Amino acid sequence: MSRQKIMIIDDEIDITNVFKEILTNAGYDVECFNDPLKALAECNINHNKYILIISDVRMPKMSGIELVKNISEIDDKIKVILMTAFDVTGEELKEVKIEKFLNKPIYLKKLVDIVKMSLSD
């Protein structure tokens, strides 16, 4: 099975819906989760479907940083973009390997450009 899907994880449904629409229109296959524990369960089962994860940092139940650590243990080939509207220390980000860190609000054209750059490596 070739990796082709993008997983978007954010507790705000509006964000996942808009990101999915924009990235789907740009030609990507996108799956969204509003619960990081459900996203982690999906990765446990189908990790080799995913080429990229875009996750919020601050979410209930599990932070995006914890989520990325867990996913990296399952499959370290999945690329990661983290995003947040809050301040995050460099110390926190050192704990995980990420392609890019984005501050919200995120301009949608910039999101598509960053996804293209992340996947062209």
Side-chain angles (χ1 to χ4, degrees):
M1 181 185 318
S2 69
R3 294 174 186 273
Q4 56 191 14
K5 280 190 148 191
I6 296 173
M7 180 185 287
I8 300 172
I9 309 125
D10 196 305
D11 55 311
E12 294 182 47
I13 293 169
D14 291 348
I15 288 177
T16 54
N17 288 344
V18 169
F19 282 16
K20 180 174 183 160
E21 182 179 339
I22 292 299
L23 291 172
T24 299
N25 288 341
Y28 297 103
D29 187 3
V30 180
E31 185 131 359
C32 296
F33 293 86
N34 302 109
D35 178 337
L37 298 178
K38 288 183 179 171
L40 183 57
E42 166 66 8
C43 266
N44 260 318
I45 298 165
N46 294 310
H47 60 90
N48 46 345
K49 280 186 186 178
Y50 296 95
I51 191 165
L52 176 68
I53 290 175
I54 302 171
S55 178
D56 192 14
V57 172
R58 305 263 189 260
M59 297 180 285
K61 301 181 186 173
M62 177 184 278
S63 78
I65 292 172
E66 281 301 311
L67 176 65
V68 169
K69 279 188 206 174
N70 282 295
I71 290 172
S72 293
E73 289 173 12
I74 296 166
D75 188 337
D76 65 355
K77 291 178 184 73
I78 301 172
K79 295 180 178 193
V80 176
I81 296 172
L82 284 177
M83 58 186 175
T84 190
F86 301 96
D87 286 337
V88 175
T89 66
E91 204 57 40
E92 288 176 279
L93 292 177
K94 274 193 227 169
E95 299 177 27
V96 290
K97 184 184 115 195
I98 59 172
E99 301 301 308
K100 195 84 174 145
F101 181 79
L102 304 174
N103 286 303
K104 292 178 181 178
I106 298 166
Y107 297 102
L108 299 176
K109 170 143 182 24
K110 182 179 178 181
L111 175 70
V112 173
D113 291 345
I114 288 168
V115 166
K116 282 180 184 171
M117 280 191 307
S118 296
L119 296 180
S120 67
D121 295 342

